[in-house]
Each structure stands twice: as C-alpha cells, then as structure tokens.
Amino acid sequence: MMRSEGLRRLYPAVLRILAVAAAYFAGGRIGLLQHVVIEGATVTPLWPPTGIAVTCLLVLGMRVWPGIGLGALLVIQSLSPLDVVGIGIAAGNTLAPVCACLLLRRVGFRLELDRFRDGAALVFLGGLAPMLISATVGAWMLESSDSLPDGGFWTVWWTWWAGDAMGVLVITPLLLVLRRARLPVDTYRWAEASALAVAAVGVTLLATRSGLALLFLVFPLLVWAALRFQLAGSAPCMLLVSVLAISAAIRQTGPFAHHTLIEGMANLQALNGSAALTSLLLSALVTEQNTIRSRIEQACLDLAEVVDQLSSGRATPRWPVEDQDRPRTNGG
C-alpha cells in the first residue's frame, strides 16, 4: 500500500519534469531557427529556453530542475553528438536558471509582476546576473576544447550572455502574463488593442526593413502598450520587435545592411535590451501605481461608509424608544 501510494505521488512529478524537458527542447528548436555562427560557435540573439526554464522553476518549483537539464541535453544532442563539452554546456544552461530562481525568491519576487521592484528584480537578478554563468561556462568549454579561434572567447561570451538574458527578459514576462490573461470585455478596449496590434506590426516592419535609421520608432509603441495594457500589451509587442529585429540583423538588411555581423549583433542587442527594459519596467511601474490608486479609492469608499454610519448614529435620539411619546418637562 505504501509503495503504490509512493508511485502515485511519483507519477505527477515525473510528468512535470518530462513536460518541462519537452518545453525546453521545443523552445530550443524554435530559437535555433534564428541562429548565427560567430567565431565558429552557434549562438542565438534570443534564446527562449532560458525564459521557459525560469518560468517553470518559478511556477512549478525547484523540483523540476532535472527537466531543464534533460531538455538542454536534448537540444545539444540535436546539434552534435554528446561529449564532455556538450554535457558541460548543458550543466551551465541548467545552473543559470536555477540561480535566477533562487535569487528571485530571495528578494520576494511575485509572479504577478505588479510592483516596480519585481520588474527590476527580473531584469537584474533573473536575467542579467545569473546568465553570466551559462555564458561563461559555455564559452569556456568551447575555448578549452579548441573550438574557438584565438581571441574569439569574449565575442562568443557576450553574444551568448546577451541571448540568454534576452530569453528571460522577453519570454518570462510573456509566459507569466499568459497564466492570468483575460480577454477585455469593453468594446473600446478591443478597438484599442486591435489598433495597437496593427500599428505594432506596421511600424516594426518599417523600422526593421527600411534602410533608414528608424529603429527608435518602436519605443512609442512599447510605451503605448505599457501605459494602456501593462504586461498584457507590452510583452507581446516586445516579442514582435525582438523577432523582427533579429531576422533583419541575421539577414543584414534594413538598418543592419551596412554593418558586419558582429556590429549588427551589437546594435541588435542594444535595441533589444533597451526595448525590454522600457517595456518591462514601465509596465511594472504602471501596474503598481494602478494598484495603489485602487487601494486608495477603496479606502476612501470604506471611510465614507464609516462616516455615514457614524452620522446615522448621531441622529438617533438618546432616550429609549418607549419613552419617545411621553411628554417632556423642563425637568426632563
């Protein structure tokens, strides 16, 4: 009986681990569709598995970390046969999201991303800082196996780090907001959301395909999305901007046409990083301000109700009800 009960508890845990591994592998294959080869190493400007891994750890708990390791091994095996270098890279890709989750929990990160401190924590403690681990381990493993040319370590390192960090800054907010997304019920909100979607596609295509330096045009769209729809609007817009910009940079078209691949990657990561910071932090700030305003309004309503009750209490006669009809004299 105890053995069968233990097996019933084990099955859901195993299924969660396998689901995380499948999600990581699927994200890796999607990310590899937009890869570049720099100094002989295959890297991606946006690595979705890191965002998937951090989200799974935050939502499902630390017990699913084997799924991240398994998914990383499967992705690496799909590129080349597994060896010591591949296992080391998979270990770094597993350790980085685990450290990100531990750091976020340490500072009291909330999945709702409804405070500015949550947005800042996700940027610095979830994305920028812990992804140094995966980039350092991965680039060092390639360097130690003589897979990189002389002087190629730092180029691969910063490209790897930027891609992993962008995976967290772009994918994690999107997945977290999808968990609690609700369709708008107001017709005006539907119209505004549709207008934002059309404008986002049109302006981003213009900015990333035109030979003119028009990349700055994406920022008003991100501000619009963050102010009016918070993460529910800014996260999809940020993903759209990132994907189209990456496509233009890899093909070296539009504003990236007259740059080398390395220069294009530097400009691309500067754009993606700035856009992600703008959309994420502004969305969190607006959400926090809206929450504070709602609490103040509710407190005012509660206070007005209390005042009404007190006013009604003061209007009640002091003598007993049964004595109200008795004639009053000067003596009382």
Side-chain angles (χ1 to χ4, degrees), residues 14-318:
V14 173
L15 289 177
R16 284 193 293 268
I17 290 174
L18 293 178
V20 170
Y24 191 102
F25 178 76
R29 297 306 301 174
I30 294 174
L32 288 172
L33 295 177
Q34 291 188 322
H35 72 276
V36 293
V37 178
I38 296 179
E39 303 292 349
T42 301
V43 294
T44 58
L46 172 65
W47 187 236
T50 55
I52 295 173
V54 172
T55 304
C56 290
L57 290 171
L58 290 173
V59 175
L60 302 178
M62 295 295 295
R63 294 182 179 181
V64 300
W65 73 263
I68 299 173
L70 178 59
L73 289 173
L74 292 175
V75 172
I76 295 173
Q77 188 179 25
S78 68
L79 297 175
S80 62
L82 278 178
D83 53 11
V84 176
V85 175
I87 295 175
I89 293 174
N93 289 348
T94 304
L95 182 60
V98 169
C99 290
C101 182
L102 292 175
L103 289 173
L104 290 174
R105 288 187 174 183
R106 181 75 175 177
V107 298
F109 176 80
R110 294 203 310 215
L111 298 180
E112 293 78 11
L113 276 171
D114 55 356
R115 300 176 300 178
F116 180 80
R117 59 176 293 184
D118 296 324
L122 184 62
V123 170
F124 296 102
L125 300 181
L128 300 182
M131 297 308 136
L132 295 171
I133 298 174
S134 57
T136 302
V137 172
W140 181 80
M141 294 299 296
L142 294 176
E143 178 76 13
S144 62
S145 63
D146 296 328
S147 299
L148 299 179
D150 294 339
F153 175 86
W154 291 111
T155 302
V156 172
W157 179 86
W158 75 259
T159 308
W160 196 314
W161 170 71
D164 283 1
M166 287 306 304
V168 176
L169 300 185
V170 175
I171 302 301
T172 297
L174 180 64
L175 295 179
L176 290 178
V177 78
L178 286 177
R179 292 178 61 248
R180 51 187 178 85
R182 298 292 184 272
L183 295 177
V185 295
D186 188 1
T187 304
Y188 174 79
R189 295 285 285 177
W190 269 109
E192 185 178 5
S194 301
L196 174 62
V198 172
V201 173
V203 172
T204 306
L205 284 174
L206 174 64
T208 57
R209 297 300 185 268
S210 173
L212 302 176
L214 300 177
L215 291 175
F216 62 89
L217 291 178
V218 302
F219 287 95
L221 287 172
L222 295 174
V223 172
W224 177 13
L227 291 178
R228 296 294 295 157
F229 299 95
Q230 289 78 63
L231 274 179
S234 64
C237 286
M238 181 57 227
L239 179 62
L240 174 68
V241 169
S242 180
V243 170
L244 293 181
I246 290 172
S247 176
I250 292 176
R251 298 176 183 178
Q252 294 182 295
T253 60
F256 305 97
H258 303 292
H259 299 280
T260 64
L261 182 59
I262 302 298
E263 293 172 345
M265 289 298 104
N267 291 332
L268 171 67
Q269 298 300 4
L271 169 67
N272 283 343
S274 300
L277 288 173
T278 300
S279 61
L280 180 56
L281 295 181
L282 183 58
S283 297
L285 180 61
V286 172
T287 302
E288 183 177 27
Q289 295 301 315
N290 290 342
T291 302
I292 293 174
R293 184 178 63 183
S294 299
R295 290 177 179 175
I296 293 175
E297 292 175 352
Q298 185 61 44
C300 291
L301 292 175
D302 295 340
L303 180 60
E305 184 178 354
V306 171
V307 171
D308 290 340
Q309 293 177 354
L310 292 176
S311 300
S312 301
R314 285 197 299 269
T316 303
R318 296 181 181 180

